[in-house]
Amino acid sequence: KMLFLLLLIFPSACELREANSNVPLTYEASDMSSIYPISDDMKLMRFKQDGKWGYFDLNGVVQIEPVYDGGSIFYGGMATVRSGENWGVIDEHGKMIVEPKYSYIAILSETKFLVGQDDGIQVIDISGNILKEYPYSFNNISSDIYGIFRDGMVMIEENEKYGFINLEEDIIIKPVYQWAGPYSNGVALVETVGGEFYYIDTFGNVAIKMKRSMGGSPFSEGLAPVMNARVRQSVDAQTATSPSGT
């Protein structure tokens, strides 16, 4: 529905222009002409010009000039941007909220951010004050394609093993799993070193143990497809409290 609406707004290739100007701008890529996801509130979209990224509105007017080496979609009125090798955060007016001085950054809320440096992972406030610290380097952080941490859980990696940080409860689920998927409906699918698959809750407890399972997928609207003896079935999320659920 969203894509159809955008096609109605832009029936042909999107024409960008500066504010108070009718002169079209040339650009290399945009959220209208590629697989890049659009802004969550559909107010701003990204475009790339001469190797730099900026943002334009639904009228094709440039609102944030292309001065960044990288940028995310907007989330909650903010977006992460990269200057050189460092990341920061801007608002919808292009104002710098968090200066680009971090190796990694993700938006947790309007006032909290997850940042990564060589000496570890930190949760900071909008003034840069450190609220929490974790003993994992920035390149051990993983998130979905939107850079959003589902259910307040951050996936971490250490020595090719995966675990999670529960940011809300300040709990570390140690990276001991051979494979791990994202959280959804309060559970995540993991694979043990021994090749067993099961869903764990946000505290690391086994929520759903799948007998003879060959794997599965994240939950969506209370259901998750799993492979069990070559039969694809759905597991009701409400059975997540029962370790004997299949």
Side-chain angles (χ1 to χ4, degrees):
K1 293 181 179 178
M2 186 175 295
L3 178 59
F4 179 69
L5 175 60
L6 289 172
L7 289 175
L8 289 178
I9 298 173
F10 297 115
S12 59
C14 178
E15 184 177 277
L16 303 187
R17 57 186 172 82
E18 296 281 4
N20 303 317
S21 173
N22 293 320
V23 179
L25 295 176
T26 58
Y27 60 96
E28 301 162 31
S30 77
D31 286 335
M32 286 300 302
S33 60
S34 68
I35 62 173
Y36 299 117
I38 67 168
S39 169
D40 64 312
D41 51 17
M42 293 182 61
K43 292 181 180 179
L44 294 177
M45 289 176 281
R46 297 171 297 179
F47 74 100
K48 187 177 183 181
Q49 182 185 55
D50 297 329
K52 300 289 186 178
W53 289 92
Y55 296 84
F56 65 94
D57 62 22
L58 291 180
N59 294 316
V61 178
V62 174
Q63 296 296 331
I64 300 175
E65 295 292 332
V67 296
Y68 299 107
D69 297 302
S72 72
I73 62 172
F74 269 84
Y75 180 68
M78 295 181 287
T80 61
V81 292
R82 179 168 60 87
S83 293
E85 298 299 322
N86 296 322
W87 288 86
V89 177
I90 60 172
D91 64 15
E92 292 176 326
H93 303 289
K95 178 183 177 182
M96 192 65 67
I97 301 298
V98 178
E99 292 296 324
K101 60 180 182 179
Y102 299 100
S103 300
Y104 180 96
I105 192 166
I107 300 167
L108 301 178
S109 69
E110 293 182 356
T111 58
K112 293 182 181 180
F113 309 89
L114 186 74
V115 299
Q117 296 282 44
D118 291 333
D119 57 353
I121 300 171
Q122 301 169 340
V123 176
I124 64 171
D125 63 18
I126 201 165
S127 299
N129 299 313
I130 299 175
L131 305 178
K132 297 179 182 178
E133 293 185 88
Y134 300 97
Y136 297 95
S137 61
F138 76 91
N139 58 359
N140 294 143
I141 302 175
S142 178
S143 61
D144 63 18
I145 60 172
Y146 297 94
I148 300 170
F149 303 115
R150 300 179 182 179
D151 292 352
M153 304 296 292
V154 179
M155 187 187 297
I156 54 176
E157 179 186 352
E158 186 176 54
N159 299 326
E160 298 184 351
K161 297 295 188 294
Y162 299 90
F164 296 90
I165 298 175
N166 183 329
L167 295 174
E168 295 179 359
E169 301 291 338
D170 199 20
I171 294 173
I172 295 178
I173 301 173
K174 293 184 178 181
V176 297
Y177 299 106
Q178 181 170 293
W179 179 89
Y183 270 83
S184 182
N185 286 100
V187 294
L189 181 67
V190 296
E191 179 187 4
T192 67
V193 175
E196 291 185 288
F197 285 87
Y198 47 79
Y199 290 89
I200 60 173
D201 63 20
T202 55
F203 293 92
N205 302 315
V206 176
I208 303 173
K209 189 173 182 178
M210 297 179 293
K211 299 177 181 178
R212 300 180 302 278
S213 175
M214 298 297 291
S217 301
F219 275 87
S220 177
E221 297 181 357
L223 297 174
V226 298
M227 290 297 294
N228 193 343
R230 298 183 181 180
V231 177
R232 185 168 292 274
Q233 63 187 37
S234 291
V235 179
D236 190 328
Q238 293 182 353
T239 66
T241 56
S242 173
S244 61
T246 58

